[in-house]
Amino acid sequence: MSQARPRDPAEPGSGSARGIPEATVARLPVYLRALTALTERGIATASSEDLAVTAGVNSAKLRKDLSYLGSYGTRGVGYDVAYLRYQIAREIGLTQEWPVVIVGIGNLGEALANYAGFSSRGFRIVALVDADSDRVGETLGTLRIRPLEDLQDLITEHQVSIGVITTPAGSAQSVADRLVAAGVTSILNFAPTVISVPSGVDVRKVDLSIELQILAFHEQRKAGHAGALDAADVESA
Amino acid sequence: MSQARPRDPAEPGSGSARGIPEATVARLPVYLRALTALTERGIATASSEDLAVTAGVNSAKLRKDLSYLGSYGTRGVGYDVAYLRYQIAREIGLTQEWPVVIVGIGNLGEALANYAGFSSRGFRIVALVDADSDRVGETLGTLRIRPLEDLQDLITEHQVSIGVITTPAGSAQSVADRLVAAGVTSILNFAPTVISVPSGVDVRKVDLSIELQILAFHEQRKAGHAGALDAADVESA
DNA sequence: TAGATTGTTAATCGATTAACAATC
DNA sequence: TAGATTGTTAATCGATTAACAATC
């Protein structure tokens, strides 16, 4: 466990010690975005309360989260926005550029390929791959769509460690297998299916219809909604 | 708190009692999908272990989650796939159809408008809205893109309670305000910004670049990755 | 010094999990 | 009855939060 004594940001390894809670890791990008927003507003120093409001979290949680990285604030003053922003970017690994491959160039894959928010945050899409021979050869932005057979070579050539799957559910597992075999160790899966990977490979899943279903669950329980009556009918039947 | 005595699924209200944990709610759609997959494989009965493997969770967790809904299994046997599937669908609110409006028809909005996964799960996109007068009037599938001024009327006409925001960050808050003013009480926000809404309105956020950043954080910490060296360099500097 | 705000503690809350009595 | 598997308990773990001593 970590010692109670104050940590010095200059002490090598102090801030990057293992054991940053997953919940904290998931919020670091949110803080990064909030700091960017403050920078754009010309704000150089911000209190944990300012930052928390911008990020949409509670300030005690924010201070606790930041404390896992080190002591980057000044008591009585707050945080230097530019400095904290750099420290968080470094912690996440955004001081380097991450080459990314997208497999499955349907509507969603195409939208991601064109999404400016990736490149502006340290990710560079270096290859687009599709199994459909009709789409192969087509150019999207500056990239030509490549066949699945080229996947291994593309990953090796660009030293890709992060892959994005935007194929239909049926192809997702075999694509994941190929990505892993080629050396990819992080996968962002948009296909509506569970994929299995060896330990050591991280998978995150984004599921658009699941998000809507969670909203529907709560919506159904709100008073005044027509659905609430329907549900009661089913129940007493 | 819930009583320790066994609950009867036939008892009105038993399964739908408030207090289903959020973490459980978020997994119900995953179980629903797993049950659908089992149905497609022609499997009529499944144990919690079968279901858990298909859904990618641990079976103790799955049984605990299902216990919040009621007692839908049979000891020594397992769960009837079709029956459990119906019960979960009912619990989520998918026995009715949910009309949805999408605001912001860029690459992502267009991809969502064409996404078959929504309609097959009880959501129907009833309106596409964009602020750009160049896109207004264009037809996507069976829907014509409508101007922002029509938003209120569309929501009233179709009794929409769920809205999807796929605008740039800068427009998201004003769109959210208009959605709420028009009566929407659930929002799925794809814009890379925090939006504020009155209490009683649910917002879920999907942030594509945040998912990639979380992967990058872990990737950076994996041995053998070039980035690991870079980070160490920065740190000791 | 007085005021402000961090970083940390400790209490609380919620989620996960193994284990097993209940029961089909 | 014997075997299988649920539904529930209770222990554990992790996350959140209020409060405040430390300190700028």
Side-chain angles (χ1 to χ4, degrees):
Chain A
M1 290 300 143
S2 62
Q3 296 292 333
R5 72 184 169 77
R7 295 189 221 158
D8 184 341
E11 184 186 352
S14 66
S16 297
R18 277 330 74 81
I20 299 183
E22 257 314 296
T24 297
V25 170
R27 281 187 295 264
L28 293 181
V30 178
Y31 300 153
L32 191 63
R33 179 164 289 157
L35 288 162
T36 302
L38 292 173
T39 303
E40 282 165 3
R41 284 185 230 155
I43 295 170
T45 306
S47 68
S48 62
E49 182 60 28
D50 296 338
L51 235 179
V53 168
T54 311
V57 302
N58 141 337
S59 68
K61 189 192 287 186
L62 178 134
R63 286 199 302 280
K64 186 109 177 75
D65 284 341
L66 295 185
S67 77
Y68 292 110
L69 311 187
S71 287
Y72 296 138
T74 306
R75 288 168 201 245
V77 177
Y79 299 89
D80 181 280
V81 171
Y83 179 63
L84 182 58
R85 188 181 172 210
Y86 172 75
Q87 293 300 339
I88 293 180
R90 181 176 64 78
E91 196 71 38
I92 298 177
L94 302 188
T95 47
Q96 62 183 288
E97 199 177 56
W98 295 91
V100 171
V101 57
I102 299 178
V103 184
I105 313 301
N107 285 306
L108 183 59
E110 199 167 330
L112 296 183
N114 290 319
Y115 180 47
F118 287 157
S119 49
S120 71
R121 284 178 194 85
F123 299 95
R124 192 156 58 91
I125 295 164
V126 297
L128 305 175
V129 174
D130 200 286
D132 181 356
S133 53
D134 287 352
R135 297 223 64 178
V136 170
E138 192 182 320
T139 297
L140 243 60
T142 63
L143 291 172
R144 207 165 52 82
I145 299 177
R146 307 284 292 269
L148 212 50
E149 297 78 58
D150 290 4
L151 188 60
Q152 169 81 65
D153 288 349
L154 288 163
I155 287 169
T156 306
E157 180 192 340
H158 293 100
Q159 299 190 54
V160 173
S161 55
I162 301 178
V164 176
I165 299 179
T166 41
T167 66
S171 329
Q173 182 63 59
S174 78
V175 166
D177 293 343
R178 294 179 86 136
L179 286 169
V180 170
V184 162
T185 44
S186 292
I187 294 175
L188 183 54
N189 179 29
F190 286 89
T193 189
V194 174
I195 59 176
S196 308
V197 295
S199 69
V201 177
D202 279 326
V203 176
R204 290 192 68 86
K205 179 151 180 43
V206 175
D207 197 308
L208 310 176
S209 94
I210 282 182
E211 296 300 325
L212 277 187
Q213 289 177 57
I214 295 169
L215 286 174
F217 174 91
H218 293 296
E219 192 60 40
Q220 192 189 26
R221 277 155 183 74
K222 288 176 187 166
H225 191 281
L229 297 171
D230 295 354
D233 292 346
V234 170
E235 202 146 38
S236 56
Chain B
M1 290 298 146
S2 60
Q3 295 292 332
R5 72 184 168 78
R7 294 190 223 159
D8 184 342
E11 185 186 350
S14 67
S16 297
R18 277 332 73 81
I20 299 182
E22 255 317 293
T24 297
V25 171
R27 281 187 296 264
L28 293 181
V30 178
Y31 300 154
L32 190 62
R33 179 165 289 158
L35 288 162
T36 302
L38 292 174
T39 303
E40 282 166 2
R41 285 185 230 155
I43 295 170
T45 306
S47 69
S48 62
E49 182 62 28
D50 297 337
L51 235 179
V53 167
T54 310
V57 302
N58 143 335
S59 68
K61 189 193 285 186
L62 178 133
R63 286 199 302 280
K64 186 108 176 76
D65 284 341
L66 294 185
S67 77
Y68 291 111
L69 311 187
S71 287
Y72 295 138
T74 306
R75 288 168 201 245
V77 177
Y79 299 89
D80 181 280
V81 171
Y83 179 65
L84 182 58
R85 188 179 172 212
Y86 172 75
Q87 293 300 339
I88 294 180
R90 181 176 63 78
E91 196 71 38
I92 298 176
L94 302 187
T95 46
Q96 62 183 290
E97 200 177 55
W98 294 90
V100 171
V101 58
I102 299 179
V103 184
I105 312 302
N107 285 305
L108 184 59
E110 199 167 331
L112 296 184
N114 289 318
Y115 181 45
F118 286 158
S119 48
S120 71
R121 285 178 194 86
F123 299 94
R124 191 156 59 92
I125 296 164
V126 297
L128 306 175
V129 174
D130 201 285
D132 181 356
S133 54
D134 286 352
R135 297 223 65 178
V136 169
E138 192 181 321
T139 297
L140 244 59
T142 63
L143 291 173
R144 205 165 53 83
I145 299 178
R146 308 284 292 270
L148 212 50
E149 295 78 58
D150 291 4
L151 188 59
Q152 169 81 64
D153 287 349
L154 289 163
I155 287 170
T156 306
E157 180 192 340
H158 294 100
Q159 299 190 52
V160 173
S161 54
I162 302 179
V164 176
I165 299 179
T166 41
T167 64
S171 330
Q173 182 64 58
S174 78
V175 166
D177 293 343
R178 295 178 84 135
L179 286 170
V180 170
V184 161
T185 44
S186 292
I187 294 175
L188 183 54
N189 179 29
F190 286 89
T193 187
V194 175
I195 58 175
S196 308
V197 296
S199 69
V201 177
D202 279 325
V203 176
R204 290 192 69 85
K205 179 148 181 48
V206 174
D207 197 308
L208 310 176
S209 94
I210 282 183
E211 296 300 324
L212 277 187
Q213 290 177 56
I214 295 169
L215 286 174
F217 173 91
H218 293 296
E219 192 60 40
Q220 193 189 25
R221 276 155 185 74
K222 287 178 187 165
H225 191 281
L229 297 172
D230 294 353
D233 291 346
V234 171
E235 203 146 38
S236 57

